[in-house]
């Protein structure tokens, strides 16, 4: 991912938090010479020996899985808030642009066994059911429903490299920076407001 130095996010804790909060990603690999991509939840986890990995699952019917045996190299892409930045928001003439946060994780994938896959599902469901009024737990599902779990592959990705971009108008002076935040908030667009919030965190 091309990232000018001013926009590089290099704080491990910030990247870790971002991945946990924006875990619906895109898994990309090459299968039979063709690029494939699947939109799925991909969770950052820590192994028993303290190593960070990514975990997830895909359907056994997904042709993308065929490529894992040929070439275990994969790319997982995660995106956060993003918004158009109008050139009319500056006190001088300039080009329009786009503000955004994104993380690319490069690594090697391996399929895990059925028991590990079920454990991954339990963690995933518990995470997203935590705020539910009547939370569902994998352990409580019937054997008939759980048979559907046989139709998926669980996987783990050993992380080789992480590239993170936080492009939030860091190259602007305080006056224009604050004005961009104000204009983003005026849009009433949830994505734009989220970008404004992130910008506010970066510069008080």
């Amino acid at each position: 991912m091309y990232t000018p130095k001013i926009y590089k996010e290099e704080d491990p804790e910030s990247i870790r938090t971002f991945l946990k909060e924006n875990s619906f990603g895109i898994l990309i690999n090459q299968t039979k010479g063709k690029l494939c991509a699947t939109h799925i939840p991909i969770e950052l986890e820590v192994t028993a020996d303290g190593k960070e990995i990514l975990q997830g699952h895909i359907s056994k019917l997904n042709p993308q899985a065929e490529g894992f045996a040929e070439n275990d190299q994969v790319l997982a892409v995660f995106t956060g808030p993003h918004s158009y930045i109008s050139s009319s928001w500056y006190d001088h003439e300039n080009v329009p642009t786009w503000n955004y946060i994104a993380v690319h994780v490069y690594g090697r994938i391996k399929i895990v066994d059925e028991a590990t896959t079920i454990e991954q599902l339990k963690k995933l469901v518990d995470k997203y059911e935590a705020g539910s009024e009547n939370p569902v737990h994998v352990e409580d599902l019937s054997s008939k429903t759980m048979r559907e779990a046989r139709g998926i592959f669980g996987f783990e990705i050993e992380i080789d490299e992480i590239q993170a971009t936080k492009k939030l108008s860091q190259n602007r002076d305080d006056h224009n920076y604050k004005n961009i935040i104000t204009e983003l908030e005026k849009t009433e667009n949830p994505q734009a407001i989220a970008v404004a919030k992130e910008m506010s965190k970066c510069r008080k």
Side-chain angles (χ1 to χ4, degrees):
M1 176 167 58
Y2 169 67
T3 307
K5 186 171 178 59
I6 192 173
Y7 302 132
K8 279 188 178 180
E9 175 58 83
E10 299 180 293
D11 176 48
E13 191 55 43
S14 293
I15 295 172
R16 192 175 292 117
T17 298
F18 176 86
L19 289 173
K20 289 181 177 179
E21 293 178 352
N22 299 274
S23 57
F24 191 74
I26 306 173
L27 180 66
I28 302 168
N29 78 330
Q30 192 172 64
T31 299
K32 296 180 179 178
K34 182 180 179 181
L35 286 173
C36 296
T38 302
H39 298 250
I40 46 173
I42 308 172
E43 300 291 328
L44 181 67
E45 296 288 348
V46 179
T47 63
D49 58 0
K51 189 173 185 177
E52 289 184 326
I53 60 171
L54 294 177
Q55 290 182 343
H57 64 272
I58 64 172
S59 169
K60 289 180 179 178
L61 298 177
N62 189 332
Q64 182 175 14
E66 296 175 22
F68 299 155
E70 303 168 11
N71 182 351
D72 63 356
Q73 302 280 319
V74 296
L75 166 62
V77 175
F78 303 87
T79 58
H82 60 88
S83 181
Y84 176 74
I85 306 299
S86 171
S87 55
S88 68
W89 297 348
Y90 304 128
D91 62 5
H92 59 283
E93 183 176 276
N94 212 309
V95 294
T97 189
W98 209 278
N99 278 4
Y100 67 95
I101 304 174
V103 172
H104 286 192
V105 180
Y106 298 83
R108 286 159 289 153
I109 194 167
K110 70 172 183 179
I111 300 298
V112 298
D113 59 37
E114 186 175 319
T116 303
T117 298
I118 297 301
E119 287 304 311
Q120 290 180 0
L121 284 176
K122 288 178 181 178
K123 285 183 184 178
L124 183 68
V125 172
D126 286 348
K127 175 182 176 179
Y128 290 102
E129 288 284 343
S132 298
E133 186 174 337
N134 299 296
V136 172
H137 301 286
V138 169
E139 297 90 329
D140 300 330
L141 297 176
S142 69
S143 56
K144 179 182 177 182
T145 298
M146 285 305 298
R147 279 200 291 272
E148 293 185 26
R150 295 176 187 166
I152 63 172
F153 284 122
F155 63 76
E156 293 180 352
I157 299 172
E158 184 175 341
I159 298 171
D160 291 328
E161 182 183 1
I162 295 178
Q163 297 176 357
T165 298
K166 184 181 278 189
K167 183 180 178 295
L168 297 175
S169 300
Q170 294 96 319
N171 58 334
R172 303 302 173 193
D173 59 52
D174 286 345
H175 172 75
N176 284 286
Y177 191 88
K178 291 176 182 176
N179 197 56
I180 291 169
I181 293 174
T182 299
E183 294 296 336
L184 286 168
E185 291 172 339
K186 285 181 187 177
T187 65
E188 298 185 2
N189 179 293
Q191 288 280 352
I193 292 170
V195 169
K197 186 177 179 181
E198 290 298 326
M199 289 180 65
S200 296
K201 293 179 188 175
C202 296
R203 195 184 299 184
K204 302 296 183 183

